[in-house]
Amino acid sequence: MSDINMEEIVSWAKRRGFVFPSSEIYGGFASVYDFGPLGVELINNLKKLWWKNVVWERGDVEGLDGAIFTHPKIWEASGHVESFTDPLVDCKSCKKRLRADRLLEDKIGVEKVAGRSLAELGQMIQDEEIACPHCGMLDWTEVRDFNLLVECSIGVTEEDKRNFYLRGETCQTIFVNFENVLQSTRQKLPFGIAQIGKAFRNEITTKNFIWRVREFEQMEMQYFCHSSLADKKYDYWKKESWQWLVDVLGIDRDNLRWRQHERDELAHYARDAWDVEYNAPWGWAEFWGQHNRQDWDLKRHGMYSGKEILYYDQKTDEKYIPFVVETSLGVTRLALVVILDAYTIEEVENEKGKKEERVVLKFDKKVAPIKVAILPLMKKDNLLDVSSEIYDNLKKKFVCQHDVTQSIGKRYRRQDEIGTPYCVTVDFDSLEDGQVTIRERDGMEQKRIKIDDLEGYLRDNLG
Ligand code: GAP
């Protein structure tokens, strides 16, 4: 378990403009968060890197952006209306509602809880004498199923109003568009469809900052293939996912592990499921699900829409319902993984030779929200003229900040705290020799470089 203090992360994220509690001026809105100026840069970088890897650099995956408002039948067909539930238990004393499995997991661990029936969970809570974390009483209702779909209504008049669900996972719009994508592109099986978008879940307990929230984004890819290929493709996408995390995002592999779902833990659609887990401050936690969904979804949408969804293979003259291998990654969770993995506290010497603490976000350069900070040594007109000119030129090529106030030491620390890979300092010598100091974030090495060579240097080093 990592020893990072989550309260520190929440406070840093707000102070530095990464994540804000949503609707804060009205007292916040239960477990919903907004991404601030640097948070949005960070998640846009993550989404772009994923899209590049899964769509742009391949020929066999198409993109899609499905609507959030969907026909309610989709969620009946997908099995979510019936089976997308969590075990709920109420404290009779203080009336708080909690997830029965999470209550137990916190005391006896995930392994002993996975796959238990509602009655078993209720009994285990009694046997373990688990008291309510809010009021300390041991007075529970029986454990029952609670559906996570978020219900809404639309319509202009009262009679016209109709209920529907906000999507609980993005991939259902992929399944219902399978034939549209197939017909409008020149793809043949095997091929995939990728999507990035919002999903909504009425989570009973939200927890650990942006880890478990009610509104979040997913990056999902469904790979359609013949049933005989499904296991091979499943292994392939598992390997791809792991490599992307380690090689592209630079996540420390020691903080990652695979966990296979137990048979009785599998989602209603899955034949096999493996999660990538992160070594978070509260223990190993799942953030990327890989599922072999078989032909569950296409078969069910065929049944519920009354129109079978079949693929015709010209080569083999065979008609079949494709199998689906899915990779499903939460953007919101990935953002926290990347932050936790990068968050480092080091002891360093300041300009006066005194030891002090430095908080530095060691983001991979591709992920860092700001790539370069341009800093005049002092707020003097002649220095500002040069630094402004450099900023005006570089900001067209890289995401830059022009930071002019406070001591240079404090500005370096501020840039370290937001993970900026390079600081460029304009000093009085720059006015004479046309050179600036470039400082690298992690090692804090500094070197002089000609202003004319800056752009090329950054291009070579930022990748
Ligand atoms: N289409 C399959 C699917 O949705 P899932 O395991 O329920 O599978 C996939 O969710 C990913 O979505 C998770 O690995 C996680 O990253 C993210 N996710 C799920 N529920 C979430 C929540 N309440 N808050 C933030 N992210 C969530």
Side-chain angles (χ1 to χ4, degrees), residues 169 201 203 211 213 218 220 286-287 293 326 328 330:
E169 55 177 6
R201 294 183 187 178
E203 297 281 359
W211 196 266
V213 282
Q218 290 184 317
E220 296 202 299
E286 175 269 323
F287 69 100
R293 292 180 82 119
E326 160 182 82
S328 176

Side-chain angles (χ1 to χ4, degrees), residues 86-131:
D86 275 338
L88 172 77
V89 67
D90 292 68
C91 170
K92 287 191 205 160
S93 173
C94 70
K95 313 288 179 222
K96 285 272 188 302
R97 310 194 113 184
L98 295 148
R99 255 182 84 163
D101 53 344
R102 295 272 180 263
L103 268 179
L104 282 158
E105 279 169 22
D106 289 346
K107 182 153 184 210
I108 59 175
V110 185
E111 291 75 15
K112 290 195 182 138
V113 181
R116 300 292 183 156
S117 69
L118 297 176
E120 282 172 328
L121 291 175
Q123 192 55 52
M124 286 164 81
I125 290 177
Q126 297 303 328
D127 295 346
E128 295 290 333
E129 297 188 352
I130 296 183

Side-chain angles (χ1 to χ4, degrees), residues 385-444:
D385 286 347
V386 179
S387 65
S388 301
E389 199 181 326
I390 295 175
Y391 173 61
D392 286 341
N393 174 38
L394 289 184
K395 76 180 179 194
K396 295 181 193 127
K397 284 112 190 171
F398 312 98
V399 184
C400 293
Q401 275 191 355
H402 189 205
D403 193 359
V404 301
T405 40
Q406 289 190 312
S407 75
I408 191 72
K410 284 208 172 114
R411 279 179 283 160
Y412 281 153
R413 290 287 170 274
R414 188 181 166 277
Q415 294 300 331
D416 289 343
E417 255 201 84
I418 61 174
T420 306
Y422 293 106
C423 289
V424 171
T425 307
V426 177
D427 56 22
F428 292 103
D429 288 342
S430 310
L431 307 177
E432 306 300 323
D433 63 8
Q435 294 192 14
V436 285
T437 302
I438 189 152
R439 171 189 182 268
E440 192 270 333
R441 177 194 67 200
D442 296 350
M444 295 185 290

Side-chain angles (χ1 to χ4, degrees), residues 80 84 148 168-172 175 199-203 205-207 209-220 222 261 267 269 275-276 286-291 293 326-334:
H80 282 72
F84 194 44
L148 301 188
E169 55 177 6
T170 53
C171 61
Q172 290 304 326
F175 297 128
F200 306 84
R201 294 183 187 178
N202 198 1
E203 297 281 359
T205 28
T206 50
K207 232 175 163 184
F209 191 30
I210 53 173
W211 196 266
R212 184 172 298 284
V213 282
R214 298 202 167 100
E215 173 182 338
F216 54 96
E217 255 184 315
Q218 290 184 317
M219 306 197 272
E220 296 202 299
Q222 324 305 126
H261 284 210
Y269 49 74
D275 291 335
V276 186
E286 175 269 323
F287 69 100
W288 195 343
Q290 320 276 331
H291 309 124
R293 292 180 82 119
E326 160 182 82
T327 98
S328 176
L329 172 60
V331 178
T332 329
R333 273 190 200 173
L334 180 65

